[in-house]
Amino acid sequence: MSSSRVFSPLYLLLSISLLLQLAIALNPIFHECNTTSFTPNGTYNENLNTLLSQLNSTTPLTGSGNGSLGQSPDQVYGLAFCRGDINSTVCQACITSAAIEIQQYCQYKEEAVIWYEYCQLKYSNLDFFGQIDYREAFYYPYFNNVSDPVSFNTTVMKLLNIVEGEAIISPKLFATGTLEVGNSTTLYGLVQCTPDLSSANCETCLDWIIGFVPRLLYGKEGGIIMTGTCELQYHTYPFFTT
């Protein structure tokens, strides 16, 4: 007797949704490396490989992880985290990709960071835990312009300030929210800080990048600003899970 599995429309939709999430998770947005190199196959290289493997194993369990390995001058510090609304399966896929690609894009560099839509991974030969990092930063505006940039930008700033206030008191230093723009558009916003920051440093970092929104993303229907320790996103479509 042969048997076959019947897939419900809901199951197919969920499967397609997960595949799309994984596809996005495996595509880096940006990366940054310093110019100082370490010796291939040396002690620092060995410590880095071990630490990246540890972060790849531990981060998906709670959504974040950090640690250090070795002794100076070969000590390496690393941190990884996933976006606060992402499940462990997508988080695992993202961190696995990041651990591989950060070494490809920044081969033999003592310090590097790589950003994805759903996760971030960084390492350094210096202890960076708890410190605000403005050095590595980038922004990406979505190309469509809105019809009323003054009103739209006012709503963007209002929403980002609201979710910032929620994020800095959240255990994950993460928050999302929505606001209506006019009668037919919903604005979606998200902010997050790296889990090693204090609430006060998270607020300082978010204040800094939110302050750039009018200059870098003015009149755009969506955009991203990311640094080594905090990030923001907003769009006119739902891009996060609730």
Side-chain angles (χ1 to χ4, degrees):
M1 180 182 295
S2 63
S3 63
S4 62
R5 176 176 294 179
V6 177
F7 292 94
S8 70
L10 177 59
Y11 180 89
L12 289 174
L13 286 174
L14 291 174
S15 299
I16 292 171
S17 175
L18 180 58
L19 288 173
L20 288 173
Q21 282 186 305
L22 291 174
I24 293 173
L26 298 177
N27 287 290
I29 300 175
F30 196 70
H31 69 276
E32 189 76 33
C33 326
N34 73 348
T35 57
T36 306
S37 299
F38 59 80
T39 304
N41 302 317
T43 303
Y44 188 87
N45 196 170
E46 181 180 346
N47 290 338
L48 175 60
N49 288 335
T50 302
L51 182 58
L52 291 178
S53 178
Q54 291 175 356
L55 292 174
N56 187 39
S57 298
T58 60
T59 300
L61 300 177
T62 60
S64 65
N66 63 68
S68 66
L69 196 65
Q71 301 295 323
S72 179
D74 297 308
Q75 188 168 9
V76 59
Y77 301 82
L79 180 149
F81 74 101
C82 291
R83 213 174 71 184
D85 61 323
I86 297 306
N87 64 46
S88 60
T89 300
V90 178
C91 181
Q92 180 70 77
C94 192
I95 296 299
T96 298
S97 180
I100 295 171
E101 296 198 19
I102 197 171
Q103 294 187 89
Q104 294 175 345
Y105 288 119
C106 300
Q107 189 175 37
Y108 307 134
K109 298 302 180 183
E110 283 189 338
E111 185 175 21
V113 57
I114 190 166
W115 292 270
Y116 291 71
E117 175 75 11
Y118 292 146
C119 72
Q120 181 187 134
L121 174 66
K122 62 189 295 187
Y123 71 83
S124 175
N125 62 319
L126 302 175
D127 184 357
F128 59 83
F129 298 146
Q131 302 175 31
I132 301 172
D133 182 5
Y134 295 137
R135 296 171 301 161
E136 292 88 16
F138 73 96
Y139 73 99
Y140 181 82
Y142 282 71
F143 298 109
N144 292 338
N145 295 317
V146 298
S147 58
D148 185 357
V150 175
S151 176
F152 186 83
N153 190 71
T154 298
T155 306
V156 169
M157 297 298 287
K158 181 179 180 181
L159 175 58
L160 292 176
N161 281 304
I162 290 172
V163 291
E164 176 192 10
E166 297 173 355
I168 62 175
I169 60 174
S170 164
K172 289 185 176 182
L173 299 180
F174 167 85
T176 63
T178 63
L179 276 181
E180 298 303 313
V181 184
N183 297 321
S184 59
T185 302
T186 300
L187 184 66
Y188 300 81
L190 175 154
V191 299
Q192 185 167 10
C193 295
T194 56
D196 60 312
L197 289 190
S198 66
S199 177
N201 279 348
C202 178
E203 183 175 18
T204 299
C205 190
L206 290 174
D207 282 345
W208 190 76
I209 60 173
I210 291 173
F212 279 100
V213 170
R215 186 190 312 176
L216 302 178
L217 305 176
Y218 183 78
K220 300 297 183 180
E221 67 176 9
I224 297 172
I225 301 178
M226 291 183 170
T227 75
T229 46
C230 65
E231 60 188 62
L232 68 82
Q233 296 186 53
Y234 74 88
H235 302 288
T236 53
Y237 62 87
F239 65 96
F240 52 77
T241 60
T242 56

